[in-house]
Amino acid sequence: MNKKIMVIFSSLLLTIIYIGMAGAENITDSIEETEQKIVTDFSDDYGIQWVKSYGSDPSYGARYEGPQPIGDCDNDGENELLISGRDATIRVMEWNDRQQTYIQTHALHCPFYRLLRFMGRFNESIEPMDAGGMAIGDLTGDGKNEIAATWYAAVYKHIAGKYFIIGFNPWIFWNGGGNPDCYIGDCDNDGQNELIMSGGPTWHGNEDMPEIVIFKWNGWRLVKVAEWNDPGVPGYVYMAGMGDVDYDDENEIVCGSANKVVVLDWNKDTSEFESTVIKTTHGQDEYPFACICKDSDMDGKDEIHIGYNSPWITIFKWDGDSYELKFEKFWDHEDAIIEALDVGDVDDDGVPEVCAGTNLVHILQWNGTTYVEEAVLPTFGCLAVCNIGDCDNDGKNEIHAGSVWADPGQDFMAWVFKYGWEPTI
């Protein structure tokens, strides 16, 4: 049950049983698509800077998302790229300019990794945990970044050339829950980052398990300081996001739970989250996964971008009174978005793009009126990974994509795409 994909299906089944499937309409019948044409197709301007196959074995090769996998995690002034999957490993990748490729420099494992491997020799059902999600950020407040991982809410710090576990908190697992993703950010607006763990009850777990659990570094360990429990339902949250989405100069958490998109606003007086439901959906295909809070229309304010368990994205914007639907798009006959969604400038034009991964990577840009698809990148398999960031430290962003499902005979892949890429060797 520690496998993220098992948690996904089991928790979705719980939600479906609760809300019922009897009158659920087909998603393609319920969406009014915005008509748009590809004005200019820049697909050929993107090159594959790096690609790796993890084989066709789904118990090993599938790749997992992390909402913040690109950043300076060893504090050397240059970014690294984290890659995880069903191989019980977070791989720290660094760009080697001389070899013009990404090199794995470190491999991180869960607490008790060696013990679990040893016990697995005698019981095949015992195996090390996978990192469903991971994040890079300053969690300890010392001005230097750490790596957080979902396995037991573990935190790693780079010290003297190696990564060490400086703390972990198994409260979620001890209480019958699971968590597929994590995020580092200041969700209570006190000036110090917290570790935001998203998840909920597992199939045989505690149905009262909160969907959002907040941990804070108290100077020497991680302590649980807050939670949000979706009232009345055994919900499950996958990739929560955070940003100032109502323009009050304070951060909010945005997440999808029990077929609804929810904004969580921290109340400093009550020390609790106040929730606002901005969208309700129906059925397994409409379950919200990715929640990205970033500025994609160049007005300096964050929008809410949602990816679903189908090839569907929606974008919401605060209008001063409520969250209004700004845009939506459904790619018929393609694979689900799941968590493969991000925002950033990927073609060096100074304007952010929205990148959404189905079995292809769709690149959309705001044109002043709507979002126009300007490029499609040739990937395959169901992409649960789509990250934007400067992986090679040249001041320009790349796109990292990876597949969590694959058709028979296909390998599970990871790619790094770069605009205008031409190898120098």
Side-chain angles (χ1 to χ4, degrees), residues 71-352:
D72 183 7
C73 55
D74 60 5
N75 301 288
D76 66 348
E78 295 190 344
N79 289 335
E80 286 75 42
L81 167 65
L82 305 182
I83 297 178
S84 72
R86 273 187 230 152
D87 46 11
T89 303
I90 294 177
R91 305 175 187 277
V92 181
M93 311 294 294
E94 297 188 26
W95 175 254
N96 185 302
D97 195 57
R98 182 178 60 82
Q99 299 183 37
Q100 292 285 283
T101 190
Y102 292 90
I103 305 294
Q104 179 180 317
T105 57
H106 299 275
L108 308 185
H109 299 111
C110 67
F112 315 117
Y113 175 79
R114 292 184 179 179
L115 175 61
L116 293 170
R117 287 288 300 269
F118 176 76
M119 295 172 64
R121 297 179 182 178
F122 309 98
N123 186 341
E124 292 183 357
S125 65
I126 300 175
E127 51 187 353
M129 301 174 67
D130 298 329
M134 62 283 184
I136 299 172
D138 180 11
L139 187 58
T140 62
D142 64 352
K144 297 180 179 180
N145 289 332
E146 291 81 36
I147 296 173
T150 54
W151 44 43
Y152 300 125
V155 181
Y156 299 76
K157 196 169 191 65
H158 192 263
I159 302 172
K162 296 183 179 180
Y163 288 93
F164 294 89
I165 297 177
I166 61 171
F168 65 96
N169 192 320
W171 184 91
I172 294 173
F173 293 93
W174 284 352
N175 287 274
N179 49 272
D181 279 299
C182 61
Y183 192 100
I184 297 174
D186 184 8
C187 63
D188 62 3
N189 302 287
D190 67 347
Q192 180 180 343
N193 288 335
E194 289 79 41
L195 178 59
I196 303 164
M197 304 294 290
S198 54
T202 55
W203 179 242
H204 296 292
N206 176 13
E207 291 190 7
D208 293 326
M209 181 70 199
E211 286 78 7
I212 296 289
V213 180
I214 309 298
F215 295 96
K216 185 185 286 286
W217 185 258
N218 71 353
W220 62 283
R221 65 188 181 95
L222 277 179
V223 295
K224 177 180 173 289
V225 295
E227 65 182 52
W228 176 73
N229 195 337
D230 195 355
V233 296
Y236 205 86
V237 172
Y238 296 94
M239 194 171 78
M242 192 193 74
D244 180 11
V245 295
D246 62 2
Y247 317 142
D248 63 351
D249 296 322
E250 293 189 344
N251 290 324
E252 290 78 39
I253 296 173
V254 180
C255 61
S257 175
N259 278 99
K260 56 186 179 292
V261 180
V262 184
V263 176
L264 303 178
D265 201 331
W266 181 253
N267 187 317
K268 295 180 180 179
D269 295 328
T270 63
S271 295
E272 294 180 342
F273 287 105
E274 297 177 349
S275 63
T276 301
V277 176
I278 68 172
K279 184 172 182 61
T280 301
T281 62
H282 305 278
Q284 179 177 343
D285 288 347
E286 296 187 18
Y287 203 96
F289 274 68
C291 300
I292 305 296
C293 306
K294 295 181 180 180
D295 178 18
S296 60
D297 65 1
M298 289 289 289
D299 68 347
K301 300 177 181 179
D302 291 337
E303 287 76 44
I304 298 173
H305 310 76
I306 308 295
Y308 300 85
N309 193 36
S310 58
W312 179 34
I313 64 170
T314 57
I315 302 177
F316 296 87
K317 191 174 187 68
W318 178 253
D319 67 1
D321 295 309
S322 62
Y323 297 94
E324 294 295 326
L325 180 65
K326 182 183 179 74
F327 176 83
E328 62 182 340
K329 176 67 178 176
F330 187 91
W331 288 277
D332 205 9
H333 306 301
E334 295 188 18
D335 288 340
I337 298 289
I338 313 180
E339 299 176 344
L341 187 64
D342 206 354
V343 174
D345 180 9
V346 297
D347 60 3
D348 312 327
D349 64 351
V351 179

